Amino acid sequence: MTAVAADFTGDALPDVISDSGGMTRLFVAPDWQEIILSEHPEFKWYIHSEFFDVDDDGDLDYIAARYNPGQVIWLEQPANGQTQRWNKHLIDDTIHGIHGLMKGDIGNDGQWELFATSAQPKEPYPESLVWFAVPENPRQAGRWKPHVFADRDAPGLTHYLGVGDINGDGLLDAATGAKGGPQAASQGEWFAWWESSLDPTCPWVKHSVSDKEPGATNIHPADVNGDGVMDLVASRGHGTGVIWFEGPDWQVHDIDAAIQEPHCLVAIDMDSDGDVDAATCAFGSKEAAWYENNGEGQFSKHVVGREQEAYDIRAVDMDRDGDLDFLVAGRGSCNVVWYEHVQ
């Protein structure tokens, strides 16, 4: 189950698009009028999603991924997104095990590219990571070309992606984690990052962060302690704990050593004090929480919701009051909710 929030209707209010129960739905702010955008009765849900203006026509489109067999699609927003059907376009159906999507500007040219995992040991891209450039005419294009930057180099059931300039060379790099465990065909339980090059269509260089991370799922680059060196904030969504790795040597520090199955993660300045905080919603502990950074990598926990599960969390100013709130899509709790940031 997945959900994203953005102004999909052009009224400056953040709407929500979520997917569950064989349908993709738009919930229009402020009253959350439900509009069915697309139906897929042959499978239950798209597992993860993104959004940006794919066709460069001035409005936001929706991108979603089915896990296995893999499929990535985009829904084209029509002239009136509330009354007209959103056309579905195929991006790819050759990668399998797509647990995570992430947009990133690889060329630093203001144009989004799309990253995706290919976690299953299936040809033609087993246990790999790929990125897609938007084709020149995406409405008429067939499959988008996958650029495999981690070719059979990401074993053990990778989950979500994080992107950023990890080594400070001005290029966009990528990171992910693999949960491992009995479902994995090969060794997981690791976090790693891949170094891009001036030609991002060539294979990227893999760097291990840690290979002793049971249940590894989420990871985001961020300068946690304000020393000008990129760190990594991570969670073990099929295990226990939210952590951060201190760059450049990746010394591990606990943020929350006890939280169980924190299967989603954001790393962002939640309280507008100039440092990076973290937030998650854990389906094991059944709680949503954010972690306040003191600027030096020491965190205080704030629980914002209980009896809540998640497969997805986003930090968005939902009520347009100038601070960030949380949007959560709960798989086990079967809901989409948002938590208001109260100062």
Side-chain angles (χ1 to χ4, degrees):
M1 188 175 191
T2 183
V4 296
D7 179 13
F8 291 102
T9 56
D11 60 0
L13 298 176
D15 312 296
V16 173
I17 296 181
S18 72
D19 194 275
S20 63
M23 289 184 285
T24 305
R25 300 173 174 90
L26 168 66
F27 296 95
V28 180
D31 300 321
W32 309 121
Q33 174 193 1
E34 179 181 329
I35 299 170
I36 296 174
L37 302 183
S38 180
E39 299 180 58
H40 44 85
E42 69 277 16
F43 61 96
K44 194 171 183 179
W45 58 48
Y46 290 111
I47 196 168
H48 206 222
S49 57
E50 259 292 4
F51 65 90
F52 57 85
D53 185 0
V54 173
D55 50 4
D56 199 26
D57 65 350
D59 55 34
L60 293 174
D61 307 299
Y62 178 73
I63 303 168
R66 182 178 67 191
Y67 182 71
N68 189 37
Q71 182 186 82
V72 187
I73 59 95
W74 69 281
L75 296 181
E76 176 192 347
Q77 182 169 176
N80 190 324
Q82 298 184 59
T83 61
Q84 297 173 295
R85 200 71 166 180
W86 294 41
N87 290 328
K88 181 186 293 186
H89 302 272
L90 178 67
I91 293 176
D92 187 85
D93 58 3
T94 65
I95 59 175
H96 304 286
I98 313 163
H99 211 306
L101 297 174
M102 175 65 72
K103 62 189 174 191
D105 183 1
I106 294 176
N108 197 26
D109 57 2
Q111 301 297 314
W112 292 119
E113 283 78 36
L114 182 68
F115 290 82
T117 57
S118 184
Q120 286 292 315
K122 288 185 176 182
E123 296 292 344
Y125 308 114
E127 299 182 319
S128 300
L129 303 173
V130 307
W131 64 269
F132 301 93
V134 179
E136 185 173 347
N137 189 343
R139 295 175 184 168
Q140 303 301 321
R143 294 179 181 87
W144 299 10
K145 180 180 178 180
H147 298 279
V148 184
F149 68 91
D151 188 3
R152 304 168 192 256
D153 197 22
L157 297 179
T158 52
H159 268 56
Y160 298 98
L161 290 147
V163 298
D165 181 7
I166 295 174
N167 59 349
D169 64 354
L171 302 175
L172 192 72
D173 308 305
T176 192
K179 73 171 187 175
Q183 294 177 322
S186 50
Q187 181 63 39
E189 302 186 355
W190 52 260
F191 289 110
W193 70 278
W194 278 259
E195 178 184 352
S196 182
S197 67
L198 291 175
D199 182 358
T201 63
C202 295
W204 298 13
V205 178
K206 182 179 182 179
H207 301 271
S208 175
V209 175
S210 175
D211 60 1
K212 298 177 178 62
E213 303 295 334
T217 51
N218 303 72
I219 188 166
H220 292 293
D223 182 2
V224 172
N225 56 0
D227 63 355
V229 177
M230 193 66 78
D231 310 301
L232 296 164
V233 182
S235 67
R236 306 183 189 103
H238 283 279
T240 302
V242 178
I243 55 180
W244 70 279
F245 295 99
E246 184 176 355
D249 299 321
W250 310 128
Q251 179 183 356
V252 65
H253 304 273
D254 285 325
I255 295 175
D256 185 342
I259 194 167
Q260 298 176 19
E261 297 169 311
H263 200 278
C264 57
L265 182 69
V266 291
I268 197 168
D269 185 1
M270 286 298 304
D271 50 5
S272 302
D273 65 351
D275 55 40
V276 174
D277 309 299
T280 189
C281 188
F283 65 77
S285 296
K286 295 185 179 180
E287 66 178 17
W290 75 279
Y291 303 91
E292 181 181 358
N293 186 0
N294 70 350
E296 299 178 354
Q298 297 175 354
F299 290 83
S300 301
K301 183 176 181 178
H302 304 274
V303 176
V304 300
R306 298 193 186 276
E307 298 305 315
Q308 178 64 42
E309 300 186 31
Y311 243 40
D312 208 352
I313 189 170
R314 314 281 172 146
V316 185
D317 185 2
M318 295 293 293
D319 50 6
R320 287 295 191 259
D321 64 351
D323 56 32
L324 291 173
D325 311 298
F326 294 132
L327 175 72
V328 174
R331 187 192 65 165
S333 46
C334 300
N335 60 359
V336 178
V337 299
W338 71 277
Y339 292 96
E340 180 181 357
H341 187 171
V342 180
Q343 298 284 1

